[in-house]
Amino acid sequence: MARTFETRLAELGVTLPDAPAPAANYVPYVQVGDLVYVSGQISQNADGFMIGKLGDNMSTEDGASAARTCAIALLAQVKAACGGDLDRLVRVVKLSGFVNSTQDYTEQPKVINGASDFLVEALGDAGKHARAAVSSPSLPMGVAVEIEGIFQIA
């Protein structure tokens, strides 16, 4: 019997949370054909928002950990878009990652690797994607990372 995405996540010790509600006047995702466009998900864990500025008061490793939480929230939104059946996910198409960082910080790709590496580990080939990793002078609520994504579903 083939492993499901949920089984693979469980093997990694990850249980998807309920999909986070939007914080303003937008929807968490929009489906167009077989593509789901997921709004930016900000870094947060059980303790709350993961706040910090890379190159100032947060390490690249901590930033990568924050990016991983964004990837988990993205998958939670995809699961909601799929009516609770994450196995309808065909593949991750593209991620756009925003890193709250100082002007001279240059390791944005290493930070967003926290999301990319997690998605490939959790989803295998379906997790491989195109990507952008860019710097931002600030992000909502002072969070370290925000990531939006495009996903193909069946």
Side-chain angles (χ1 to χ4, degrees):
M1 182 177 192
R3 293 187 315 174
T4 66
F5 290 141
E6 295 270 5
T7 300
R8 291 174 76 144
L9 288 167
E11 289 169 357
L12 296 173
V14 174
T15 302
L16 292 180
D18 291 335
N25 188 19
Y26 63 91
V27 294
Y29 59 83
V30 171
Q31 183 176 346
V32 178
D34 66 347
L35 296 178
V36 175
Y37 296 79
V38 179
S39 296
Q41 302 297 299
I42 58 176
S43 54
Q44 56 185 323
N45 59 25
D47 297 326
F49 296 126
M50 297 176 78
I51 296 171
K53 185 174 282 288
L54 283 292
D56 180 18
N57 60 5
M58 183 176 261
S59 70
T60 298
E61 295 74 22
D62 288 341
S65 178
R68 183 180 188 272
T69 71
C70 295
I72 291 168
L74 286 166
L75 288 182
Q77 294 292 359
V78 171
K79 181 177 177 179
C82 291
D85 182 6
L86 188 60
D87 287 318
R88 287 183 51 205
L89 174 63
V90 174
R91 73 168 304 139
V92 181
V93 176
K94 182 173 186 205
L95 297 182
S96 296
F98 305 91
V99 180
N100 183 354
S101 56
T102 61
Q103 185 174 348
D104 59 345
Y105 184 78
T106 60
E107 295 188 344
Q108 292 82 0
K110 290 181 180 179
V111 170
I112 302 304
N113 279 348
S116 295
D117 293 347
F118 170 76
L119 289 171
V120 172
E121 185 178 13
L123 306 174
D125 285 343
K128 295 180 180 177
H129 53 273
R131 187 182 89 177
V134 299
S135 184
S136 179
S138 67
L139 288 172
M141 278 78 66
V143 297
V145 181
E146 179 174 355
I147 303 175
E148 65 180 13
I150 303 170
F151 301 82
Q152 182 183 19
I153 63 171

